[in-house]
Amino acid sequence: MVTRRELLAGAGAVVVAGGAGLKPLPAKAAQHKTVVLASMGPVTGNWDPTSHTTLGQLKFEKFVFNHLTRCEMREGKSEELIPDLATSWKLIDTHTLEFKLRDGVKFHDGKEFGAEDVKATMEYASNPARPASALYPGRVDVEVVDNLTVRLKTEKHGYPAFAFWFISSFLPILSAKDIADPALLQKRPNGTNAFKYAGTQGDRNSLEANDEFYGGRPKIDRIIYAYVPDANTRVLGLLNGEYHIAERLEPEQYASLSSNPKVTTHKALTTENKYLHFRCNKPPFNDARLRRAVCHAIDRDQILSLMGEAATPSNCYISPTKFGFTDIPDYPKFDPGACQKLLAEAGFPKGKGLPQLEYITSIGFYPKTKEYGELITAMLAEQGLDVRLTVLEPAAWEQAIYRRADGQGQGHMCDVGWMTGSPEPDLVLRPNWQSSAALITGINDREIDAVLDKERAATNPEERRRIFKNETFPTLANKVPSFSLFSAVTFHGAAKNLTGAYYFPNGPIDLSKADLS
């Protein structure tokens, strides 16, 4: 059987004209500017943005869809919102947030954008039946004031409208026409952004410039979004000219490329923390004592030393780029004595009687996951825990980490980050640790739910920061449904002749103002 990696490695230079499912370029294709992006993450094939929470597809969709606001999360201005599909916004009262919308915007299929699209999107995507509803603070009703004015209403659902303030820069706006036809919505992405979907050929998805983009037609004519799961293959392709952008470099690759005159490099603290997630809804990690025992067995200083520039220390459940970040004073620390005490209290002295524990991680998606996975496995073995490390390529790993329809998930522990394009912390907290979602952990804990609901119910930023610091984060650190290992730093390499690209700290790349010289 020919593997996906072998197909990609043998593909050579990208040829898409006339390929199945892709629109051919015009006759003067040589004069057109095509950027090939080597991505570490696959797309799902279901183009409804509410059908998933996968990072690779979220990054692809960023080329296609706009949001009500835009947040570039620049250092020192991580909470600054600027207009996108909305030109202004204000709180009318505790449960009402009003947006004035941009006039003259069209979807890629030619439909005019307006208030009906915001209403249809928000009410559809916030429905708990949609997988991505975990990214919403809750259900929401949308009042259409006029074609260019909407009001988000949350009173009926029991939380303040301020919860949408930051998240407005992350939620993609769909066409009401598409939402009315689910088969069409799943078939192709149809947004309002600078690039529109052209087709799919194997593991490569093609985008072309949107001539009617409200910000002006891009100088780049085509983007090829190629799934390349191996980091070495991404770098070699960048160096030989096959790719213009290689994402998720290893730190050693970044250091090497930084001195290479053929490429430019980019480094940034991300919105992502890396976690060791526990399967909290099945033995043995339905017992918080065992979860804490594992945390006390892990020396995070050794992991940080291994990661080098790719990680920064953090004693919190969110990245420093997020609203409300604060170090947790009693965050679990490396303490073999405390580990052994908790194992004994739980009835497993020195780990005796525990089953073999499966620890799932990836290779090629994040830097050094296999290496620090082996390190953590060895640390746990020192405390008497029998752990089997399962290393998967990104596509198989994404299938393994999420809970199945029966509520269970593979293995006992998973290495997963959580990267979102907004300063809003609930984009991380609620999908991972609120009982109605808990997409990976399966945690079902009333105390955690209560402190998450309490911070969401805060009516002003200062009150919310206080709840995070004094209640939400300490409760999570005590219950440890997941162990936050570090905050992630990401690296990109790009062709020297590619200018004007903007790298969001959650992974997507804005090429609307980019050019190839």
Side-chain angles (χ1 to χ4, degrees), residues 434-464:
Q434 207 276 336
S435 297
S436 64
L439 299 176
I440 297 169
T441 64
I443 188 72
N444 189 334
D445 189 289
R446 291 182 180 179
E447 291 182 38
I448 293 177
D449 291 347
V451 293
L452 290 176
D453 288 344
K454 187 173 182 178
E455 58 85 2
R456 185 185 67 167
T459 57
N460 63 75
E462 292 73 24
E463 179 189 5
R464 199 172 181 217

Side-chain angles (χ1 to χ4, degrees), residues 41-198:
V43 298
T44 67
N46 182 340
W47 293 113
D48 178 352
T50 75
S51 69
H52 69 92
T53 58
T54 59
L55 182 59
Q57 187 149 334
L58 284 167
K59 291 192 295 183
F60 178 85
E61 289 169 353
K62 188 76 169 179
F63 290 114
V64 177
F65 294 97
N66 287 106
H67 315 273
L68 290 175
T69 63
R70 178 180 168 110
C71 186
E72 296 182 343
M73 292 169 283
R74 297 180 187 271
E75 189 171 353
K77 297 182 178 179
S78 63
E79 299 174 13
E80 181 181 53
L81 297 181
I82 56 178
D84 194 1
L85 290 179
T87 56
S88 65
W89 48 96
K90 64 179 179 180
L91 283 168
I92 302 296
D93 57 46
T94 300
H95 297 101
T96 307
L97 177 59
E98 180 180 274
F99 290 91
K100 294 288 187 180
L101 306 178
R102 189 179 299 276
D103 196 9
V105 176
K106 289 184 178 180
F107 284 93
H108 297 155
D109 66 355
K111 178 189 177 302
E112 295 280 349
F113 161 73
E116 65 170 355
D117 303 300
V118 178
K119 177 178 174 64
T121 297
M122 295 287 182
E123 294 182 350
Y124 168 67
S126 67
N127 187 324
R130 304 306 307 152
S133 66
L135 301 176
Y136 276 71
R139 297 205 74 159
V140 61
D141 301 314
V142 181
E143 175 191 354
V144 173
V145 179
D146 57 48
N147 189 49
L148 296 176
T149 308
V150 294
R151 289 179 176 174
L152 276 56
K153 314 280 281 189
T154 61
E155 184 172 14
K156 187 168 73 176
H157 306 291
Y159 65 95
F162 179 73
F164 280 91
W165 189 268
F166 292 124
I167 207 174
S168 62
S169 68
F170 181 70
L171 303 173
I173 300 300
L174 316 180
S175 165
K177 177 182 174 183
D178 292 347
I179 291 170
D181 184 352
L184 184 62
L185 183 61
Q186 295 172 19
K187 186 177 180 181
R188 85 288 182 265
N190 174 38
T192 55
N193 213 341
F195 295 92
K196 55 186 179 181
Y197 177 68

